[in-house]
Amino acid sequence: MKQRIMQQAQQEIFRSGFRFTIADIARQCGVSTKTIYEWYSSKEELIHDMVQQAIDEIKKREQAIIHDQTLNTMDKLRALLVLLPQDFQFFDIKRLFELQRYYPEVWKYLNSFMEEQWDGVKQIVAVAQAEGLLGTFNEELFIQLYIGGLNRLMEQASVNQVGLTLGEALDEMVDIMINGIRLR
């Protein structure tokens, strides 16, 4: 039941953002709101649980990428930098801004993960540098550019129709960060 509740909440977020109510979720699940509250004491707790599940999935997939023998080093780096939970590939980027605005505690938790979870990327960067595929660069600045770029995209998506999903935005941003804009 808990998984079903989270799936319905995720569908509501995709459909209309974070404006859904517990009653909406109950109706979609065909249960009473009391049943939902047996599992979650609040909408914020439900959203936090969804974020936690997404983070757990990212950690698991990150390890799979790092140990995937079929990927070369640069493919691993790119895959790590665009890594999203499977269900969030087509997530409208403005939803992250809504999360930040309406659920600041959940956002703080997610943002902390985004700022701290770079060990896998650093590991693959070191391998790429040892293989002569990447030069020396300031990794902390690279991370801050990535996070800053993502935050700026979120802010812009909240006021303008950027027209990009989260997956598309990350894909283009990472392409620019890794390959640059210069013709070869």
Side-chain angles (χ1 to χ4, degrees):
M1 183 57 154
K2 192 173 189 175
Q3 193 61 35
R4 195 166 140 212
I5 293 168
M6 283 202 306
Q7 287 173 339
Q8 285 301 322
Q10 186 179 33
Q11 288 177 5
E12 289 296 318
I13 292 169
F14 282 120
R15 189 174 17 260
S16 59
F18 288 93
R19 293 184 190 96
F20 70 89
T21 65
I22 294 296
D24 295 332
I25 302 303
R27 193 170 29 262
Q28 294 295 328
C29 289
V31 298
S32 70
T33 55
K34 182 179 177 184
T35 301
I36 304 294
Y37 283 116
E38 288 173 7
W39 291 96
Y40 294 102
S41 63
S42 67
K43 182 177 163 183
E44 185 163 355
E45 182 183 346
L46 169 59
I47 293 168
H48 187 278
D49 207 16
M50 291 172 61
V51 167
Q52 181 62 58
Q53 189 175 41
I55 287 171
D56 292 345
E57 180 187 336
I58 286 173
K59 288 177 180 179
K60 190 180 297 181
R61 291 181 58 213
E62 176 185 53
Q63 289 305 306
I65 290 167
I66 289 169
H67 296 99
D68 187 339
Q69 299 298 317
T70 66
L71 295 174
N72 68 40
T73 304
M74 291 307 291
D75 289 340
K76 288 180 182 184
L77 179 59
R78 187 172 213 318
L80 291 173
L81 290 170
V82 299
L83 183 58
L84 290 171
Q86 196 63 41
D87 295 336
F88 288 74
Q89 295 295 322
F90 303 105
F91 198 65
D92 188 327
I93 196 167
K94 71 182 170 190
R95 299 297 180 231
L96 286 178
F97 182 79
E98 291 173 5
L99 178 66
Q100 181 183 33
R101 181 173 179 196
Y102 299 118
Y103 298 94
E105 290 304 311
V106 177
W107 172 256
K108 192 182 303 182
Y109 180 71
L110 177 60
N111 194 51
S112 175
F113 170 76
M114 287 191 303
E115 289 182 3
E116 295 169 7
Q117 190 63 28
W118 287 89
D119 292 343
V121 170
K122 289 178 179 181
Q123 177 184 342
I124 297 302
V125 163
V127 171
Q129 288 171 329
E131 292 175 356
L133 300 170
L134 290 176
T136 303
F137 63 93
N138 184 326
E139 288 179 8
E140 293 307 315
L141 180 58
F142 181 86
I143 291 167
Q144 290 308 311
L145 286 169
Y146 179 97
I147 293 169
L150 183 58
N151 284 328
R152 185 68 177 145
L153 285 170
M154 284 176 4
E155 291 167 8
Q156 285 300 306
S158 72
V159 291
N160 301 330
Q161 292 296 341
V162 174
L164 294 175
T165 65
L166 182 55
E168 291 168 340
L170 281 179
D171 210 36
E172 288 191 36
M173 187 175 78
V174 167
D175 188 48
I176 292 168
M177 291 181 75
I178 291 177
N179 298 320
I181 58 175
R182 188 175 140 211
L183 293 175
R184 309 218 192 277

